[in-house]
Amino acid sequence: MTELRHEDAVSRYKPKVRPGRVLMWTLLFIGGLVMITPLLFMFSTSLKPASQVYDLRLIPQDPTFSNYVKVLTTTGFGRWFFNSLLVATIVTCSNVFFDSLVGYTLAKFRFRGRRFIFLAILSTLMIPTEMLVIPWYLMSANFGWLDSYWGIMFPGMMTGFGTFLMRQFFEGVPDDFMEAARIDGMNEFVIWWKIAMPLVAPALSALAIFTFLGNWTAFFWPLIVTTSSELYTLPVGLSSFAVEAAIQWEMIMTGAALATIPTLLVFLIFQRYIVRGVMLAGVKG
Amino acid sequence: MSLQAENTKGAAAGRPEGGGFADRFSMHTKRLVWVWTFLALPVLFYSVIRFYPTLDAFRLSLTDWNLMRPPKFIGFENYAKLFTDPDFWQVFKNTFAYLIFGTPISLVLSFTIAFFLDRVRFGHGLIRALYFMPFLTTAAAMAWVWRWFYQPAPIGVINDVLAALGLPQQPFLRSTTQALPSIMVTAIWAGLGFQIIIFMAGLRAIPTTFYEAARIDGLGEWAILRKITLPLLKPTTVFLVVLSSIGFLRIFDQVYNMTTNDPGGPLGTTKPLVLMIYQSAFSSYQMGYAAAQTVVLFLILLVISLLQLWILRDKS
């Protein structure tokens, strides 16, 4: 897809600097700065002492990490951070495992009921989460899952979107690899895990990124299922904390920064893969 | 595959008694056993966590239930109540306001940015990252950042800037007319980066030859955009229209966090359907009534999905 860049081929023959291009570049750059302004203010305020919150200079006069220390030691943020990390990691592993296992099975085996199962899983994409939360809540109440890690995690352990995405990618893997492995006497599980999975690594990373991000930022269901502060995820914790601390904007901004830093760090490190992953998922989905 | 299955069968038949348990089955049967081993847990998961709750939501929507007494079947009374509830119509109006303004504005913005960003090579990665970063943030956290921006003068950044420019102060989230657009701006801002990336993927998938042919035919930039780029981008656009519509119809995180002192306020002017569902179910424990609202949301989303299928079929 990327080799079809029309501009690369065309513009190589044009003079390098043209006023129209410079103007376009400048406008896009300014737009980009406007886009990250809320993030800049958030980080800047989180580094300011309470007395300087209303000083709107972006670079703090005497930056301090005391807000971070205060937020992490006197509130539940450390715990909420851990909860979010735990929940998002486990759910991501489960999705990478099960979505690709089911996607692989539906793409690579011929058996009765294959089409039915695929359509059934696909149809779950039409059902909004909001419609399921009331039954999930009652189910959780009956099974004692309310206010537990399992309660936060169970609805997302597999997703129709992930299964659909992985099936699309496994369809593109040639059967020869698997047949060769079968002749070598490998069992089907090993063939899937050792032979097929590495071949769809880009799709797996896209799936992992989406699932992690989705669960890290999830708000609606964790808000419903958790009642004790020890089990809040970061977004729910921040929301409850912000209500209590409504006047201490520097504390709220520090909390917001804590919720944002991990995903931004991951993005800065894996930028190329993440953008490609979004493109892959968007085009395939 | 069938050839191989027969080979195995032949080999197994020629083998003396006492071969392993697994050897007694044909290759085909063995594979079936694998298939259902792989699918057993997922089938159970989808049945219990997706399909049963879906049916249960329909069933609950026909009952009167406050969690204390056992549910009582009341037919379509919840729906009748919903359609005569003025609060519901206010919420309905708000939800469609998010949808009708949010979707086109965010699509036009993201397409324009993607269209020009696609032509930039100097610092392309940097500029793209600037636009994409908000997508990676937590809606709940960013709602609070924007809420702070919208505060009155000494606190809020936007009003400070207005004051510096000598412009009148704005109430933003405290006003019944400005609160909804203020929240919508936050939601558009958060989703823009994703839409830009998807549009850029769509733009790059258009083969260069189409543009070359058009230039040879002497088409201008505007004509190329109208006659080639936009028509070929239709699947991408439809995909984003549906995704974005669903997003705005299900808006919750931003509204909840930007109006926590009076969720959905002022005077219910920002309350979307999902917030009403949340309050009916988990604040006033009218489970049946809330379930009926979720069914209405489901039907609206279903219509949008079917429209998408219809539009895409129309193309071919």
Side-chain angles (χ1 to χ4, degrees), chain A residues 20-212:
Chain A
R21 296 237 149 191
V22 173
L23 180 69
M24 183 178 88
W25 194 92
T26 313
L27 286 177
L28 279 172
F29 186 70
I30 293 171
L33 288 182
V34 171
M35 283 296 281
I36 62 158
T37 302
L39 297 174
L40 296 178
F41 270 103
M42 175 184 76
F43 285 122
S44 145
T45 305
S46 74
L47 296 171
K48 285 175 185 169
S51 57
Q52 289 177 21
V53 168
Y54 305 132
D55 170 22
L56 293 179
R57 263 170 298 191
L58 258 184
I59 297 165
Q61 229 171 359
D62 22 33
T64 163
F65 281 102
S66 62
N67 291 329
Y68 286 87
V69 175
K70 203 166 146 201
V71 160
L72 284 170
T73 51
T74 62
T75 69
F77 266 95
R79 180 66 191 256
W80 302 333
F81 195 95
F82 167 78
N83 291 346
S84 274
L85 198 64
L86 181 81
V87 166
T89 307
I90 293 179
V91 173
T92 302
C93 292
S94 166
N95 270 277
V96 166
F97 185 86
F98 284 110
D99 292 356
S100 50
L101 183 64
V102 177
Y104 173 76
T105 311
L106 292 173
K108 288 294 166 202
F109 289 92
R110 303 279 171 275
F111 59 96
R112 191 179 296 195
R114 183 172 87 117
R115 205 176 148 67
F116 174 76
I117 290 182
F118 177 60
L119 286 177
I121 291 176
L122 208 58
S123 74
T124 62
L125 293 177
M126 305 265 246
I127 308 166
T129 322
E130 290 79 11
M131 190 169 163
L132 302 175
V133 292
I134 294 168
W136 282 344
Y137 184 81
L138 304 173
M139 194 186 276
S140 308
N142 285 332
F143 295 154
W145 296 347
L146 284 182
D147 212 21
S148 72
Y149 285 126
W150 174 245
I152 306 172
M153 292 187 293
F154 83 87
M157 300 304 275
M158 299 171 206
T159 63
F161 171 73
T163 308
F164 174 73
L165 188 74
M166 293 317 298
R167 179 186 168 274
Q168 298 290 89
F169 279 95
F170 278 119
E171 291 264 317
V173 173
D175 287 331
D176 309 359
F177 290 98
M178 274 83 83
E179 285 303 334
R182 270 180 204 123
I183 291 163
D184 287 350
M186 280 189 192
N187 80 42
E188 296 292 338
F189 185 82
V190 178
I191 293 173
W192 165 67
W193 185 250
K194 290 251 170 84
I195 311 285
M197 286 292 264
L199 292 172
V200 293
L204 285 177
S205 59
L207 176 65
I209 289 160
F210 267 102
T211 316
F212 190 88

Side-chain angles (χ1 to χ4, degrees), chain B residues 76-306:
Chain B
F76 288 93
E77 241 174 75
N78 283 324
Y79 294 93
K81 182 179 161 196
L82 197 58
F83 293 128
T84 51
D85 185 347
D87 283 354
F88 171 72
W89 290 110
Q90 168 80 48
V91 162
F92 195 79
K93 205 184 99 203
N94 296 341
T95 309
F96 274 87
Y98 287 114
L99 170 74
I100 287 167
F101 295 103
T103 304
I105 293 174
S106 69
L107 262 93
V108 168
L109 267 178
S110 57
F111 175 77
T112 312
I113 294 164
F115 183 77
F116 289 110
L117 190 51
D118 187 47
R119 303 169 164 224
V120 164
R121 266 158 305 112
F122 176 71
H124 177 91
L126 169 77
I127 298 184
R128 192 179 59 190
L130 294 180
Y131 283 97
F132 190 59
M133 265 191 226
F135 174 66
L136 298 159
T137 59
T138 312
M142 289 307 124
W144 282 93
V145 176
W146 279 89
R147 186 174 176 164
W148 170 51
F149 274 25
Y150 285 135
Q151 295 298 305
I155 309 173
V157 177
I158 300 177
N159 269 321
D160 277 328
V161 173
L162 290 179
L165 296 172
L167 293 168
Q169 297 289 293
Q170 299 298 325
F172 295 119
L173 295 171
R174 287 152 202 241
S175 140
T176 51
T177 49
Q178 290 183 8
L180 191 140
S182 303
I183 292 172
M184 194 153 58
V185 166
T186 309
I188 292 173
W189 171 82
L192 210 57
F194 176 79
Q195 297 187 346
I196 292 171
I197 298 289
I198 300 293
F199 265 132
M200 288 199 0
L203 284 170
R204 287 176 182 202
I206 299 174
T208 326
T209 46
F210 287 16
Y211 290 106
E212 283 162 5
R215 291 215 174 87
I216 291 165
D217 288 351
L219 258 65
E221 285 283 312
W222 182 244
I224 290 175
L225 176 67
R226 256 189 47 235
K227 293 194 173 139
I228 295 173
T229 313
L230 287 179
L232 285 173
L233 217 54
K234 191 175 163 186
T236 309
T237 314
V238 172
F239 170 72
L240 283 179
V241 167
V242 171
L243 219 63
S244 165
S245 314
I246 292 174
F248 280 109
L249 281 173
R250 295 174 55 187
I251 190 168
F252 175 80
D253 300 10
Q254 280 96 357
V255 187
Y256 182 88
N257 281 293
M258 290 173 85
T259 60
T260 37
N261 44 338
D262 167 22
L267 298 174
T269 49
T270 61
K271 190 187 290 182
L273 190 48
V274 177
L275 183 53
M276 189 186 188
I277 292 168
Y278 175 78
Q279 289 175 332
S280 305
F282 303 104
S283 303
S284 38
Y285 298 104
Q286 297 171 289
M287 291 302 191
Y289 192 40
Q293 293 161 21
T294 66
V295 171
V296 170
L297 178 69
F298 167 69
L299 292 176
I300 297 171
L301 293 172
L302 188 67
V303 168
I304 288 189
S305 305
L306 292 177

Side-chain angles (χ1 to χ4, degrees), chain B residues 10-25:
Chain B
R15 209 169 278 178
E17 297 259 317
F21 175 74
D23 288 341
R24 279 184 230 166
F25 298 102

